[in-house]
Structure formats: C-alpha cells, structure tokens
Coordinates of all heavy atoms in Angstrom, one line a residue:
N1 N 0.4 -6.3 -2.2 CA 1.6 -6.5 -1.4 C 2.8 -6.7 -2.4 O 2.7 -6.8 -3.6 CB 1.4 -7.8 -0.6 CG 2.6 -8.0 0.4 OD1 3.2 -7.0 0.8 ND2 2.9 -9.2 0.7
K2 N 4.0 -6.7 -1.7 CA 5.3 -6.9 -2.4 C 5.7 -5.6 -3.2 O 6.3 -5.7 -4.3 CB 5.3 -8.1 -3.3 CG 5.0 -9.4 -2.5 CD 5.1 -10.7 -3.3 CE 4.7 -11.9 -2.5 NZ 4.7 -13.1 -3.3
L3 N 5.4 -4.5 -2.7 CA 5.8 -3.2 -3.3 C 7.3 -3.1 -3.4 O 7.8 -2.5 -4.3 CB 5.2 -2.1 -2.5 CG 5.4 -0.6 -3.0 CD1 4.8 -0.5 -4.4 CD2 4.8 0.4 -2.0
D4 N 8.0 -3.8 -2.5 CA 9.5 -3.7 -2.5 C 10.1 -4.4 -3.7 O 11.2 -4.2 -4.0 CB 10.0 -4.4 -1.2 CG 9.5 -5.8 -1.0 OD1 8.2 -5.9 -0.9 OD2 10.3 -6.7 -0.9
Q5 N 9.3 -5.3 -4.3 CA 9.8 -6.0 -5.5 C 9.5 -5.3 -6.8 O 9.9 -5.8 -7.9 CB 9.1 -7.4 -5.6 CG 9.5 -8.3 -4.4 CD 8.9 -9.7 -4.5 OE1 8.6 -10.1 -5.6 NE2 8.8 -10.4 -3.4
C6 N 8.9 -4.1 -6.8 CA 8.6 -3.3 -8.0 C 9.5 -2.0 -7.9 O 9.5 -1.3 -6.9 CB 7.1 -2.9 -8.0 SG 6.0 -4.4 -7.9
H7 N 10.1 -1.7 -9.1 CA 11.0 -0.6 -9.1 C 10.8 0.2 -10.4 O 10.3 -0.3 -11.4 CB 12.5 -1.1 -9.0 CG 12.7 -2.1 -7.9 ND1 12.9 -1.6 -6.6 CD2 12.8 -3.5 -7.9 CE1 13.1 -2.7 -5.8 NE2 13.0 -3.8 -6.5
G8 N 11.3 1.4 -10.3 CA 11.4 2.3 -11.5 C 10.1 2.6 -12.2 O 9.0 2.7 -11.5
A9 N 10.1 2.6 -13.5 CA 8.9 2.9 -14.3 C 7.8 1.9 -14.1 O 6.6 2.2 -14.1 CB 9.3 3.1 -15.8
A10 N 8.2 0.6 -14.0 CA 7.2 -0.5 -13.8 C 6.4 -0.2 -12.5 O 5.2 -0.4 -12.5 CB 7.9 -1.8 -13.8
R11 N 7.1 0.2 -11.5 CA 6.4 0.5 -10.2 C 5.4 1.6 -10.4 O 4.3 1.5 -9.9 CB 7.5 0.9 -9.2 CG 6.9 1.3 -7.8 CD 8.1 1.8 -6.9 NE 7.6 2.3 -5.7 CZ 7.8 1.9 -4.5 NH1 8.6 0.8 -4.4 NH2 7.4 2.4 -3.4
L12 N 5.8 2.7 -11.1 CA 4.9 3.8 -11.3 C 3.7 3.4 -12.1 O 2.6 3.8 -11.8 CB 5.6 5.0 -12.0 CG 6.8 5.6 -11.2 CD1 7.5 6.7 -12.0 CD2 6.3 6.2 -9.9
R13 N 3.9 2.6 -13.1 CA 2.8 2.1 -13.9 C 1.8 1.3 -13.1 O 0.6 1.4 -13.2 CB 3.3 1.3 -15.1 CG 3.9 2.2 -16.2 CD 4.0 1.4 -17.5 NE 4.7 0.1 -17.4 CZ 6.1 0.0 -17.5 NH1 6.8 1.1 -17.8 NH2 6.7 -1.1 -17.3
L14 N 2.3 0.4 -12.3 CA 1.5 -0.5 -11.4 C 0.7 0.3 -10.4 O -0.5 0.1 -10.3 CB 2.4 -1.5 -10.7 CG 2.9 -2.7 -11.5 CD1 3.9 -3.5 -10.7 CD2 1.7 -3.6 -12.0
L15 N 1.3 1.3 -9.8 CA 0.6 2.1 -8.8 C -0.5 2.9 -9.4 O -1.5 3.1 -8.9 CB 1.6 3.0 -8.0 CG 2.7 2.3 -7.1 CD1 3.6 3.3 -6.5 CD2 2.0 1.5 -6.1
A16 N -0.2 3.4 -10.6 CA -1.2 4.2 -11.3 C -2.4 3.4 -11.7 O -3.5 3.9 -11.9 CB -0.6 4.9 -12.5
S17 N -2.2 2.1 -11.9 CA -3.3 1.2 -12.4 C -4.2 0.7 -11.3 O -5.2 0.1 -11.5 CB -2.7 0.1 -13.2 OG -2.0 -0.8 -12.3
L18 N -3.8 0.9 -10.0 CA -4.5 0.3 -8.9 C -5.8 0.9 -8.6 O -6.7 0.2 -8.0 CB -3.6 0.3 -7.6 CG -2.3 -0.5 -7.7 CD1 -1.6 -0.5 -6.4 CD2 -2.6 -2.0 -8.2
G19 N -6.0 2.2 -8.8 CA -7.2 2.8 -8.4 C -7.0 3.5 -7.1 O -6.2 3.2 -6.3
S20 N -7.9 4.5 -6.8 CA -7.8 5.3 -5.6 C -8.1 4.6 -4.3 O -7.6 5.0 -3.3 CB -8.7 6.6 -5.8 OG -10.1 6.1 -5.9
D21 N -8.9 3.5 -4.4 CA -9.3 2.8 -3.2 C -8.2 1.8 -2.7 O -8.3 1.3 -1.6 CB -10.6 2.2 -3.3 CG -11.7 3.2 -3.5 OD1 -11.5 4.3 -2.9 OD2 -12.8 2.9 -4.0
A22 N -7.3 1.4 -3.6 CA -6.4 0.3 -3.3 C -5.2 0.9 -2.5 O -4.9 2.0 -2.6 CB -5.9 -0.3 -4.6
L23 N -4.6 0.0 -1.8 CA -3.4 0.3 -1.0 C -2.3 -0.6 -1.4 O -2.5 -1.8 -1.6 CB -3.7 0.0 0.5 CG -4.7 1.0 1.2 CD1 -5.1 0.4 2.6 CD2 -4.0 2.3 1.4
A24 N -1.1 0.0 -1.6 CA 0.1 -0.8 -1.9 C 1.0 -0.8 -0.7 O 1.3 0.2 -0.1 CB 0.8 -0.2 -3.1
V25 N 1.5 -2.0 -0.3 CA 2.3 -2.2 0.9 C 3.4 -3.2 0.6 O 3.4 -3.9 -0.4 CB 1.5 -2.7 2.1 CG1 0.3 -1.8 2.4 CG2 1.0 -4.2 1.8
S26 N 4.4 -3.1 1.5 CA 5.4 -4.1 1.6 C 5.4 -4.7 3.0 O 5.8 -4.1 3.9 CB 6.8 -3.5 1.3 OG 7.8 -4.5 1.6
A27 N 4.9 -6.0 3.1 CA 4.8 -6.6 4.4 C 6.1 -6.9 5.0 O 6.3 -6.9 6.2 CB 4.0 -7.9 4.2
T28 N 7.1 -7.1 4.1 CA 8.5 -7.4 4.6 C 9.3 -6.1 4.9 O 10.1 -6.0 5.9 CB 9.3 -8.3 3.7 OG1 9.3 -7.6 2.4 CG2 8.6 -9.6 3.5
G29 N 9.0 -5.1 4.1 CA 9.8 -3.8 4.3 C 9.1 -2.8 5.1 O 9.7 -1.8 5.6
G30 N 7.8 -2.9 5.3 CA 7.0 -2.0 6.1 C 6.4 -0.8 5.4 O 5.6 0.0 6.0
E31 N 6.7 -0.6 4.1 CA 6.2 0.5 3.4 C 4.7 0.4 3.2 O 4.2 -0.7 2.9 CB 6.9 0.5 2.0 CG 6.6 1.8 1.2 CD 7.3 1.9 -0.1 OE1 8.1 0.9 -0.4 OE2 7.1 2.9 -0.9
G32 N 4.0 1.5 3.5 CA 2.5 1.5 3.3 C 1.7 0.9 4.5 O 0.5 1.0 4.5
L33 N 2.4 0.4 5.5 CA 1.6 -0.3 6.6 C 0.9 0.7 7.4 O -0.2 0.5 7.9 CB 2.6 -1.1 7.4 CG 3.2 -2.4 6.8 CD1 4.0 -3.1 7.8 CD2 2.1 -3.3 6.3
E34 N 1.5 1.9 7.6 CA 0.8 2.9 8.4 C -0.5 3.4 7.7 O -1.5 3.6 8.4 CB 1.7 4.1 8.7 CG 1.1 5.2 9.6 CD 0.7 4.7 10.9 OE1 1.3 3.7 11.4 OE2 -0.3 5.2 11.5
G35 N -0.4 3.5 6.4 CA -1.6 3.9 5.7 C -2.7 2.8 5.8 O -3.9 3.1 5.9
L36 N -2.3 1.5 5.8 CA -3.2 0.4 6.0 C -3.8 0.5 7.4 O -5.0 0.3 7.6 CB -2.5 -0.9 5.8 CG -3.3 -2.2 6.1 CD1 -4.5 -2.2 5.2 CD2 -2.4 -3.4 5.9
R37 N -3.0 0.8 8.4 CA -3.5 0.9 9.8 C -4.6 2.0 9.9 O -5.7 1.8 10.5 CB -2.4 1.1 10.8 CG -1.4 0.0 10.9 CD -0.4 0.3 12.0 NE 0.6 -0.8 12.2 CZ 1.8 -0.8 11.7 NH1 2.2 0.3 11.0 NH2 2.6 -1.8 11.8
Q38 N -4.3 3.1 9.3 CA -5.3 4.2 9.3 C -6.6 3.8 8.6 O -7.7 4.2 9.0 CB -4.7 5.5 8.8 CG -3.5 6.0 9.6 CD -3.9 6.3 11.1 OE1 -5.0 6.9 11.4 NE2 -3.1 5.8 12.0
R39 N -6.4 3.1 7.5 CA -7.6 2.7 6.7 C -8.5 1.7 7.6 O -9.7 1.8 7.5 CB -7.2 2.1 5.4 CG -8.4 1.7 4.5 CD -9.0 2.9 3.9 NE -8.2 3.6 2.9 CZ -8.0 3.2 1.7 NH1 -8.7 2.2 1.2 NH2 -7.2 3.9 0.9
L40 N -7.8 0.9 8.3 CA -8.5 -0.1 9.2 C -9.3 0.7 10.2 O -10.4 0.3 10.6 CB -7.6 -1.1 9.8 CG -7.1 -2.2 8.9 CD1 -5.9 -3.0 9.5 CD2 -8.2 -3.1 8.5
L41 N -8.7 1.7 10.8 CA -9.4 2.5 11.8 C -10.6 3.2 11.2 O -11.7 3.3 11.8 CB -8.5 3.6 12.4 CG -7.4 3.1 13.4 CD1 -6.5 4.3 13.8 CD2 -8.0 2.4 14.6
A42 N -10.5 3.7 10.0 CA -11.6 4.3 9.3 C -12.7 3.3 9.0 O -13.9 3.6 9.2 CB -11.1 4.9 8.0
V43 N -12.4 2.1 8.6 CA -13.4 1.1 8.4 C -14.1 0.7 9.7 O -15.3 0.5 9.8 CB -12.7 -0.2 7.9 CG1 -13.7 -1.4 7.9 CG2 -12.3 0.0 6.4
A44 N -13.3 0.7 10.8 CA -13.9 0.4 12.1 C -14.9 1.6 12.6 O -15.7 1.3 13.5 CB -12.8 0.2 13.2
G45 N -14.7 2.8 12.0 CA -15.5 3.9 12.5 C -14.9 4.6 13.6 O -15.6 5.4 14.3
W46 N -13.6 4.5 13.8 CA -12.9 5.1 14.9 C -12.7 6.6 14.6 O -12.1 7.0 13.6 CB -11.6 4.5 15.2 CG -10.8 5.0 16.3 CD1 -9.6 5.7 16.3 CD2 -11.2 5.0 17.7 NE1 -9.2 6.0 17.5 CE2 -10.1 5.6 18.4 CE3 -12.2 4.4 18.4 CZ2 -10.2 5.8 19.8 CZ3 -12.3 4.6 19.8 CH2 -11.2 5.2 20.5

C-alpha cells in the first residue's frame, strides 16, 4: 500500500523489487484497486 507516496526512480525500483505475485495499490488514491478486485475474484475461483 501507499503507492501514492512513492515517486520517480524510487517508485520504479520498489515496484521492480516486489515480484510478479505482489500487488501495489493506493488505498487513498484508488490506484491498483481494480487489479486487486480481479485478483480476489481469481482467488475465489470466479
């Protein structure tokens, strides 16, 4: 969480280090939430 607080080159480095299974979101700004919703549906088996 708190993707909105990461900017520029630091943001790119952080995202690259998370791994393919991780999700980055901003709970306050809404960024990445749709991807989280779809991942939850996949976990549910929908």
Side-chain angles (χ1 to χ4, degrees):
N1 189 28
K2 304 185 182 180
L3 186 58
D4 54 301
Q5 297 183 21
C6 302
H7 307 282
R11 175 187 175 116
L12 295 176
R13 285 196 305 273
L14 284 172
L15 293 178
S17 67
L18 297 183
S20 58
D21 291 336
L23 291 166
V25 302
S26 169
T28 56
E31 189 176 359
L33 291 183
E34 183 56 31
L36 175 58
R37 293 186 180 97
Q38 293 305 312
R39 184 72 67 85
L40 284 170
L41 287 179
V43 168
W46 181 246

